[in-house]
Amino acid sequence: MVGRRQTQALKRHSRKEQRERKHRVLSQGTPSVTARIADATVIKDGNVFFLTRPDGTVPCEDGHGFGLYYHDCRYLDGYEIALGGEALDALGVDARRGFRAVLQLTNPDLRKTSGELVLAKEQLGVQWKRVVDGEGRALHELLRITNFSDAKIDLPLELRLRARFQDVFEVRGLLPDERGEASGPSWNGARLRFSFTGVDDVTRRLCVHFSRTPSQRHAASARFRLRLAARETTELGVSLHVEESPRPGRCPRHDGVERIERELERSEGRWLGGATRVESDSLTLNAILERSLLDLRMLRSTLHGEAYVAAGIPWFGALFGRDSLVVALQTLAFDPSLAEQTLRLLARMQGTRVDRKRDEQPGKILHEMRVGELAAAGEIPHSPYYGTVDATPLFLILLERHAAWTGSLELFRSLEAQVELALGWIDCYGDADGDGYIEYESRAKDGLVNQGWKDSGDAIVRAGGELARPPIALVEVQAYAYRAKRALARLLERSGERGRARELRRQAERLQSRFNRDFWCAREELYDLALQANKAPTRVAASNAGHALWAGIATADKARCTAQRLMADDFFNGWGVRTLSARDRSYNPIGYHLGTVWPHDNAFIAAGLRRYGFDAEATRIFEGLFHAARHFEAHRLPELFAGFSRREYELPVRFPVACHPQAWAAGAMPYLVKTLLGLEPDGFEGRLRVMRPVLPRFVDRLELRGLRVGNGAADLRFRRAKPGRVEMTVLRTEGGLEVRRG
């Protein structure tokens, strides 16, 4: 029997262990400690997504991030195929459509245990088509096997599965996996079922249905006898359905892959048809932009019946305040409806009280919302978690930009209460000491150490390499607050609240004056990364300074120095601007936020450069990311890549566990196109201004079709007339839209 003192000691140990677990979750230096997923094949539709190795399999072993996911749970974490006891050889894979992957496999030399050759290599063709159906919460597959040899074959085909129903935080290696109770696997004819009841009392099930009954069934494997005459083809269908419910439902039958594929193709066509179309004389640029838009469709998910764009696959397949706001900003010129959906969803979950456990405060926009087992059970605070310092001003910026593109105050007026709460958070809770700067210091005992977009535990450093001391005022957050107040002043003025608008402008002007005094680092010739405890500067040169240009808070002289500094060799590596100067003591080209290149970060920097007239520098960033995208699979820019110089490597170096697709990386190139073309909407006046349009060196002609501003739309053509000069032609307008240059 355990005595009272021992019981108390065990409880203290348990609480300490929980604190350490949560600290690992919220303050990690990297998003995952699993094996690399840089070459993963990813397909997704709705809230279901599937990651595999390039050969289409999921290894039945630990330490990887591949598998079938739904609602923050990895339902399937092992899926292997063997023919005659041997793994198949991968020839190629096509996963460009996002919801579908088609793999081509073949056999290796197959031998008896004696060494006698049974079937020479490359005699069989195996096409493995799989489609994710988000609405049906299923993965549907069709294996089509052709015997290209002139002899009959009789071989066993085996599929092995493993399902442990791990929360995504466990998959990332950030929490132990000792929880819940599993049952199964169990067989019923051609159906295999796995089941798991978690600590949240929710039962999750995976039902696998084969189109034919296996000749042999083992615990979690199915064996089929493959008998094929010469030149004969056979098919095997597999459907994997995920389910979370108190009681088991009926395990659905295998559905036809082609039917679901056609439905998803129509849905994809409607998505592309509803967005502004870009056509240029660069086939590669066209492919990159199409990939970006398809990835954004692929990342669309739902929560509480509302659509949003998930932050990234696989680690961040959830609602993130900052990420969702940024991608909505990036794509306003392509699909403004995404911004409205994002704003309404985030407003619905805006902070209403002080909750230290979740870093919640009245008016604050959430950081991350999770719906998995650990969040529901209170093991992690993401239900939702509010540990972000920049989502609230970004919420206000997006609201104003949406109004400028749509020419409507309807959304602003419907969210006026949330707007006032957000402004209150900026001035009160965000600026707890009343010095005029938004600062963060996690009030949650185990909350995020860093709460800007560089939110890994080691991201915000001092010049000597030590971690910055909270409370921390980040450079870009002050810039966002400045832009947010100026943006809201425009909306309030248009709503007739001129006095309130004047006050916000005065607040922004005072902030700009203080900011340019306190954040300028003369030694580095750019804005400092942050002010830390006691207002001490970090004296660190980081890419965050470029966001001050994006927000317009920089003075002209300091903007010029910042532009020159960010384009110097220690920052710009040939593909993009590094997150940290290569001269900094903490620089690490494969550190998550300490020297890597992030496409979204570069897109904001390029927009800032354009704002201050540095067109050549902005174009250089566009061209760097363009050439980087050419080297990634399907022209897909990942979440980030390593900061190694282009002079050292002819290819961009992958970051091992970067998300792909990732939302604000997908939005980067569309936003850069809008930036280079200089599109400035005024939907209220039915006008589009085109400011100093520029084209990259590899594009001589670019057309926009169906660009919407206010109640109108336009088709525009941009053409290089001579070096340094781009001509614009208005091909068509509707709805009374006026297009004006300059």
Side-chain angles (χ1 to χ4, degrees):
M1 181 178 292
V2 180
R4 180 179 177 185
R5 290 184 180 178
Q6 288 174 297
T7 301
Q8 291 174 337
L10 286 170
K11 288 181 178 179
R12 286 196 298 271
H13 176 76
S14 176
R15 287 195 294 269
K16 179 181 178 183
E17 182 185 29
Q18 288 178 8
R19 287 197 299 271
E20 290 174 350
R21 288 168 63 193
K22 291 179 181 178
H23 182 76
R24 291 180 65 199
V25 169
L26 296 173
S27 307
Q28 72 275 10
T30 61
S32 169
V33 295
T34 62
R36 60 179 278 125
I37 58 167
D39 57 353
T41 297
V42 183
I43 54 176
K44 179 183 181 295
D45 183 60
N47 295 336
V48 181
F49 60 91
F50 189 40
L51 279 80
T52 71
R53 295 190 297 194
D55 64 358
T57 65
V58 177
C60 293
E61 58 191 39
D62 296 338
H64 65 81
F66 304 109
L68 181 65
Y69 292 77
Y70 174 72
H71 278 183
D72 292 328
C73 176
R74 181 167 67 173
Y75 278 71
L76 181 74
D77 63 295
Y79 192 14
E80 297 177 336
I81 185 170
L83 180 66
E86 299 290 338
L88 295 171
D89 293 334
L91 300 177
V93 58
D94 178 6
R96 292 172 296 175
R97 302 305 291 269
F99 59 83
R100 178 191 70 193
V102 182
L103 300 104
Q104 190 63 50
L105 311 170
T106 191
N107 65 290
D109 282 337
L110 299 179
R111 299 179 183 275
K112 296 180 179 179
T113 54
S114 63
E116 179 185 349
L117 185 67
V118 175
L119 183 67
K121 65 179 180 178
E122 300 166 2
Q123 298 301 301
L124 293 181
V126 180
Q127 184 192 73
W128 199 354
K129 179 183 285 190
R130 48 181 38 138
V131 175
V132 171
D133 175 16
E135 184 176 349
R137 293 184 297 181
L139 170 70
H140 299 290
E141 302 186 325
L142 182 65
L143 279 159
R144 182 174 287 117
I145 306 162
T146 302
N147 178 12
F148 290 113
S149 74
D150 292 325
K152 294 180 181 179
I153 63 166
D154 185 351
L155 292 167
L157 177 71
E158 184 177 18
L159 298 175
R160 296 186 290 268
L161 300 96
R162 187 172 77 162
R164 292 184 297 168
F165 302 90
Q166 296 167 298
D167 191 278
V168 68
F169 284 93
E170 299 169 41
V171 180
R172 290 163 63 185
L174 305 174
L175 287 170
D177 58 359
E178 300 171 2
R179 82 293 176 278
E181 182 179 347
S183 62
S186 62
W187 281 94
N188 181 10
R191 295 180 176 88
L192 170 64
R193 191 190 293 271
F194 302 85
S195 181
F196 175 83
T197 302
V199 294
D200 59 349
D201 293 326
V202 173
T203 298
R204 295 167 175 84
R205 301 177 185 85
L206 175 68
C207 184
V208 185
H209 182 262
F210 300 96
S211 60
R212 65 174 81 163
T213 302
S215 57
Q216 291 180 285
R217 302 176 306 183
H218 300 285
S221 66
R223 178 172 288 194
F224 302 87
R225 204 71 209 172
L226 193 64
R227 296 184 175 93
L228 287 174
R231 308 293 169 176
E232 186 182 0
T233 297
T234 191
E235 294 181 348
L236 173 66
V238 187
S239 286
L240 300 92
H241 294 259
V242 301
E243 177 186 295
E244 51 179 23
S245 63
R247 291 180 296 275
R250 179 177 175 273
C251 189
R253 294 180 57 81
H254 168 70
D255 287 324
V257 171
E258 284 83 0
R259 179 185 63 80
I260 296 165
E261 184 179 14
R262 286 193 298 270
E263 292 175 0
L264 291 172
E265 284 175 347
R266 286 193 290 269
S267 173
E268 182 185 84
R270 289 191 296 270
W271 165 261
L272 289 176
T276 301
R277 300 178 300 283
V278 182
E279 299 172 5
S280 77
D281 56 357
S282 168
L283 297 178
T284 304
L285 178 59
N286 297 342
I288 291 171
L289 292 171
E290 183 180 60
R291 175 76 272 150
S292 295
L293 293 176
L294 288 175
D295 279 353
L296 291 173
R297 180 207 173 273
M298 182 178 172
L299 288 166
R300 283 177 72 89
S301 305
T302 57
L303 179 66
H304 303 319
E306 299 279 357
Y308 71 94
V309 175
I313 303 300
W315 318 123
F316 307 122
L319 175 66
F320 278 72
R322 176 194 308 116
D323 301 59
S324 298
L325 291 162
V326 167
V327 75
L329 273 165
Q330 291 172 324
T331 55
L332 276 167
F334 293 81
D335 180 15
S337 68
L338 176 59
E340 179 175 354
Q341 294 165 342
T342 300
L343 288 164
R344 290 193 184 279
L345 181 57
L346 292 174
R348 178 176 173 178
M349 291 186 283
Q350 188 178 27
T352 58
R353 59 179 180 163
V354 175
D355 183 346
R356 294 171 64 92
K357 178 182 177 183
R358 297 188 297 155
D359 272 334
E360 181 182 0
Q361 294 162 337
K364 200 175 188 183
I365 299 300
L366 67 82
H367 169 62
E368 181 178 358
M369 176 69 182
R370 293 289 183 171
V371 295
E373 173 194 1
L374 297 182
E379 289 285 305
I380 55 175
H382 299 66
S383 56
Y385 176 61
Y386 288 84
T388 174
V389 73
D390 53 8
T392 306
L394 286 170
F395 175 88
L396 299 175
I397 293 169
L398 176 61
L399 183 61
E400 186 277 334
R401 285 289 82 197
H402 174 268
W405 277 98
T406 61
S408 172
L409 289 174
E410 181 181 347
L411 181 60
F412 169 66
R413 286 174 174 151
S414 70
L415 298 179
E416 278 189 285
Q418 289 85 354
V419 167
E420 288 302 321
L421 283 171
L423 283 171
W425 180 85
I426 289 173
D427 292 337
C428 179
Y429 293 99
D431 181 17
D433 61 2
D435 68 344
Y437 294 134
I438 300 176
E439 299 154 325
Y440 66 84
E441 180 175 13
S442 178
R443 289 160 177 80
K445 198 164 190 179
D446 304 292
L448 273 171
V449 171
N450 290 314
Q451 299 191 352
W453 82 262
K454 295 179 180 177
D455 58 2
S456 54
D458 58 357
I460 310 303
V461 292
R462 292 185 278 169
E466 311 90 348
L467 297 180
R469 301 185 303 271
I472 294 170
L474 291 168
V475 57
E476 76 273 17
V477 177
Q478 319 317 315
Y480 297 166
Y482 168 84
R483 180 165 177 171
K485 290 189 174 184
R486 286 181 59 85
L488 278 180
R490 290 191 289 273
L491 289 182
L492 288 166
E493 194 167 56
R494 190 168 288 277
S495 296
E497 299 182 55
R498 292 181 175 82
R500 182 84 166 106
R502 283 194 297 271
E503 174 56 28
L504 284 178
R505 286 198 178 97
R506 282 195 292 268
Q507 291 177 17
E509 288 169 3
R510 290 195 293 268
L511 173 57
Q512 184 181 37
S513 177
R514 289 193 307 272
F515 175 87
N516 280 280
R517 178 194 66 207
D518 297 341
F519 275 84
W520 185 249
C521 183
R523 184 184 71 181
E524 292 290 350
E525 295 185 294
L526 85 168
Y527 293 103
D528 199 352
L529 169 61
L531 301 181
Q532 51 182 328
N534 301 319
K535 315 306 173 189
T538 57
R539 304 193 189 283
V540 168
S543 64
N544 307 53
H547 294 228
L549 275 61
W550 176 78
I553 197 173
T555 57
D557 58 332
K558 291 180 171 59
R560 184 180 305 107
C561 292
T562 300
Q564 292 172 351
R565 190 72 184 80
L566 291 175
M567 299 309 296
D569 288 346
D570 60 313
F571 266 114
F572 190 76
N573 75 342
W575 308 108
V577 177
R578 298 179 176 102
T579 46
L580 201 64
S581 164
R583 299 197 317 226
D584 194 273
R585 184 181 182 90
S586 298
Y587 170 71
N588 178 356
I590 52 173
Y592 193 51
H593 291 124
L594 296 174
T596 49
V597 175
W598 289 65
H600 91 278
D601 186 29
N602 277 261
F604 270 33
I605 293 169
L609 292 168
R610 281 277 286 164
R611 173 188 280 269
Y612 286 88
F614 301 107
D615 297 348
E617 290 80 358
T619 305
R620 192 176 171 204
I621 289 177
F622 181 97
E623 292 177 350
L625 288 178
F626 168 85
H627 289 297
R630 292 173 57 207
H631 295 294
F632 289 109
E633 183 72 24
H635 302 311
R636 171 184 284 151
L637 282 171
E639 175 187 15
L640 71 156
F641 51 93
F644 296 108
S645 170
R646 192 172 177 179
R647 290 195 298 268
E648 298 176 79
Y649 299 92
E650 294 183 3
L651 303 176
V653 178
R654 291 177 175 269
F655 188 80
V657 291
C659 290
H660 63 284
Q662 199 254 7
W664 60 18
M669 290 302 283
Y671 188 62
L672 281 165
V673 168
K674 175 264 177 195
T675 296
L676 289 194
L677 296 181
L679 306 180
E680 294 295 334
D682 185 352
F684 296 104
E685 301 299 327
R687 183 181 303 133
L688 173 69
R689 289 187 302 151
V690 181
M691 308 292 292
R692 306 188 323 275
V694 295
L695 292 172
R697 287 173 295 179
F698 49 82
V699 174
D700 290 321
R701 179 189 57 80
L702 185 147
E703 294 180 4
L704 297 178
R705 302 279 179 172
L707 176 67
R708 289 162 288 171
V709 179
N711 294 321
D715 296 344
L716 307 176
R717 176 182 294 145
F718 298 86
R719 186 175 65 85
R720 190 187 310 282
K722 57 182 179 180
R725 173 71 178 172
V726 173
E727 291 182 346
M728 180 189 71
T729 303
V730 179
L731 302 175
R732 181 189 67 90
T733 63
E734 64 178 49
L737 180 63
E738 177 188 358
V739 181
R740 183 183 297 178
R741 180 159 181 159

